[in-house]
């Protein structure tokens, strides 16, 4: 066979071996239930700009907020069906799907945004991400800090210990892991979609809600509440995720660019949130809210005991909590 013929044959076969989607624009619908003013909503634009800069003309990134495409909780199902490519995924929803990771949702565990990232990059974190990929069909790209969650009440109460929350209807997201945390705090956990919380507080359908301070401001909950109790019960984060169907279309360079864009977005979000938390105490005081600090150690002991003495802890991987605690000290 002549040399030209051999080269032509190789060229033909090589062309056929390239996936048809290699040069196609990949649609990335990125959805969240959070409002436009929320920082992790704004961080989606940071992600978009970073990815488009790293890989020009490869992605058609469409951003949707306020549950415009899917309500909170429904976006995961939509992503797994291929109706949307990206969303934010909470550790609570992961725990509902993979009960052994309920440990990650327990109160007073993670200490900071850096602690979450150290976990994801650790050996146990890699196992966690692999399990999420296999069980939930999504890839975790990075964890964005949501803030430290506090209690926000529609009327003022003397809250010192978990006993003082008895009978308080505390709105929590609808997942089992979230509701368990609400009960662990001593309240009566009440499921309610995020979009209904403002009206629920206004009408008295719920007595309280829990969120980080920037979310309280972004959703204007301070307009229909009178008190913030600084329980510091959960240093919260939420993961930027992409479905495996989309992830598997990417080459190694594109995957690195997407991960880098997620880290860039979360870095932006984390810096802004920590700055906002420092500012907002005085803002809420000026708005007329009473800011109180309970016996945090009493809450910590009660919450940790509530988890460890429950059936949930039986599913937790041996040594996971200890490994996470070590990462906070490194």
């Amino acid at each position: 066979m002549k040399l030209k013929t051999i080269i032509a044959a190789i060229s033909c076969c090589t062309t056929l071996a390239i996936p048809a989607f290699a040069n196609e624009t990949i649609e990335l619908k990125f959805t969240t239930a959070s409002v436009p003013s929320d920082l992790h909503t704004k961080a989606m634009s940071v992600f978009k700009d970073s990815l488009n800069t790293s890989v020009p003309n490869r992605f058609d990134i469409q951003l949707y907020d306020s549950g415009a495409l899917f309500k909170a909780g429904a976006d995961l199902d939509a992503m797994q069906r291929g109706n949307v490519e990206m969303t934010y995924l909470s550790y609570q929803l992961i725990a509902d799907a993979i009960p052994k990771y309920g440990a990650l949702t327990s109160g007073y565990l993670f200490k900071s945004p850096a602690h979450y990232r150290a976990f994801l990059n650790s050996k146990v974190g890699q196992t966690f991400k692999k399990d999420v990929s296999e069980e939930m069909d999504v890839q975790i790209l990075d964890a964005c800090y949501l803030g430290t969650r506090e209690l926000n009440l529609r009327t003022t109460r003397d809250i010192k210990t978990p006993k003082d929350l008895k009978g308080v209807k505390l709105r929590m997201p609808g997942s089992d892991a979230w509701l368990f945390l609400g009960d662990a705090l001593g309240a009566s956990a009440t499921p309610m979609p995020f979009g209904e919380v403002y009206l629920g507080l206004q009408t008295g359908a719920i007595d309280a809600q829990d969120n980080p301070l920037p979310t309280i401001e972004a959703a204007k909950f301070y307009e229909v509440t009178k008190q913030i109790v600084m329980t510091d019960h959960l240093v919260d984060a939420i993961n930027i995720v992409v479905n495996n169907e989309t992830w598997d279309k990417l080459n190694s360079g594109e995957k690195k660019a997407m991960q880098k864009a997620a880290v860039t977005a979360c870095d932006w979000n984390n810096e802004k949130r920590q700055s906002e938390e420092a500012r907002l105490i005085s803002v809420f005081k000026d708005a007329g809210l009473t800011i109180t600090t309970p016996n945090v150690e009493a809450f910590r002991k009660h919450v940790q005991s509530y988890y460890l003495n429950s059936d949930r802890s039986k599913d937790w991987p041996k040594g996971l909590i200890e490994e996470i605690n070590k990462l906070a000290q490194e």
Side-chain angles (χ1 to χ4, degrees):
M1 185 180 292
K2 293 182 178 181
L3 181 59
K4 288 184 178 180
T5 305
I6 294 173
I7 293 173
I10 293 173
S11 177
C12 174
C13 294
T14 302
T15 301
L16 291 174
I18 298 173
F21 51 70
N23 296 315
E24 294 176 0
T25 300
I26 296 177
E27 184 176 72
L28 286 182
K29 295 186 293 293
F30 191 170
T31 180
T32 183
S34 59
V35 296
S37 57
D38 208 332
L39 287 171
H40 74 272
T41 304
K42 294 179 180 179
M44 294 162 66
S45 295
V46 178
F47 171 86
K48 177 178 179 177
D49 292 343
S50 176
L51 186 55
N52 280 338
T53 299
S54 296
V55 193
N57 305 317
R58 178 61 163 139
F59 299 98
D60 173 19
I61 305 172
Q62 304 166 25
L63 307 180
Y64 299 91
D65 58 60
S66 306
L69 284 185
F70 304 98
K71 292 183 178 180
D75 42 12
L76 175 61
D77 290 337
M79 190 169 60
Q80 291 169 330
R81 293 194 305 268
N83 294 334
V84 68
E85 289 73 38
M86 297 188 66
T87 192
Y88 284 104
L89 179 62
S90 71
Y91 285 90
Q92 288 73 21
L93 283 177
I94 292 172
D96 286 350
I98 314 175
K100 68 179 181 179
Y101 288 122
L104 304 180
T105 70
S106 59
Y108 301 102
L109 176 62
F110 286 101
K111 307 297 189 297
S112 67
H115 195 185
Y116 273 101
R117 189 169 283 167
F119 163 68
L120 290 178
N121 293 332
S122 69
K123 184 176 180 180
V124 291
Q126 294 299 315
T127 299
F128 164 68
K129 289 192 287 188
K130 182 175 181 290
D131 288 344
V132 170
S133 175
E134 292 176 351
E135 296 289 332
M136 303 182 73
D137 203 25
V138 301
Q139 293 288 328
I140 293 177
L141 300 176
D142 197 26
C144 287
Y145 178 53
L146 278 181
T148 300
R149 298 180 80 96
E150 317 291 359
L151 297 183
N152 183 205
L153 283 68
R154 68 185 300 267
T155 60
T156 55
R157 296 170 180 258
D158 185 18
I159 306 294
K160 297 297 184 184
T161 70
K163 291 181 180 180
D164 298 321
L165 287 174
K166 184 177 181 180
V168 172
K169 292 179 290 184
L170 173 62
R171 177 269 170 182
M172 300 296 285
S175 81
D176 179 62
W178 276 120
L179 294 170
F180 189 88
L181 174 60
D183 289 336
L185 289 166
S188 297
T190 304
M192 180 177 287
F194 185 82
E196 299 176 14
V197 175
Y198 186 99
L199 183 60
L201 290 166
Q202 190 175 45
T203 62
I206 51 175
D207 301 313
Q209 66 91 28
D210 91 307
N211 261 302
L213 301 184
T215 303
I216 294 173
E217 181 187 44
K220 300 186 184 302
F221 293 148
Y222 61 87
E223 295 179 345
V224 288
T225 55
K226 298 294 185 183
Q227 182 182 10
I228 295 174
V229 184
M230 302 294 289
T231 48
D232 296 344
H233 56 272
L234 187 69
V235 175
D236 198 13
I238 196 164
N239 298 290
I240 298 179
V241 296
V242 59
N243 61 9
N244 283 340
E245 180 182 354
T246 302
W247 184 252
D248 292 340
K249 295 178 182 179
L250 309 181
N251 62 39
S252 60
E254 291 164 347
K255 288 178 179 178
K256 288 179 181 178
M258 184 173 284
Q259 289 176 319
K260 178 184 175 183
V263 170
T264 299
C266 288
D267 281 345
W268 181 91
N269 168 86
N270 297 356
E271 180 181 352
K272 295 290 185 182
R273 281 192 183 273
Q274 289 176 306
S275 176
E276 284 294 274
E277 286 179 319
R279 177 185 68 87
L280 284 171
I281 292 294
S282 60
V283 170
F284 291 139
K285 285 182 177 179
D286 290 343
L289 273 69
T290 299
I291 311 296
T292 59
T293 301
N295 185 335
V296 175
E297 188 57 31
F299 270 94
R300 178 180 290 108
K301 288 181 178 179
H302 183 272
V303 168
Q304 290 179 342
S305 176
Y306 196 90
Y307 276 91
L308 290 172
N309 292 325
S310 71
D311 290 338
R312 303 174 76 88
S313 64
K314 297 177 182 178
D315 295 321
W316 296 359
K318 186 176 180 180
L320 178 62
I321 295 297
E322 290 77 9
E323 287 297 320
I324 293 174
N325 285 335
K326 285 181 185 177
L327 292 168
Q329 301 165 7
E330 293 178 357

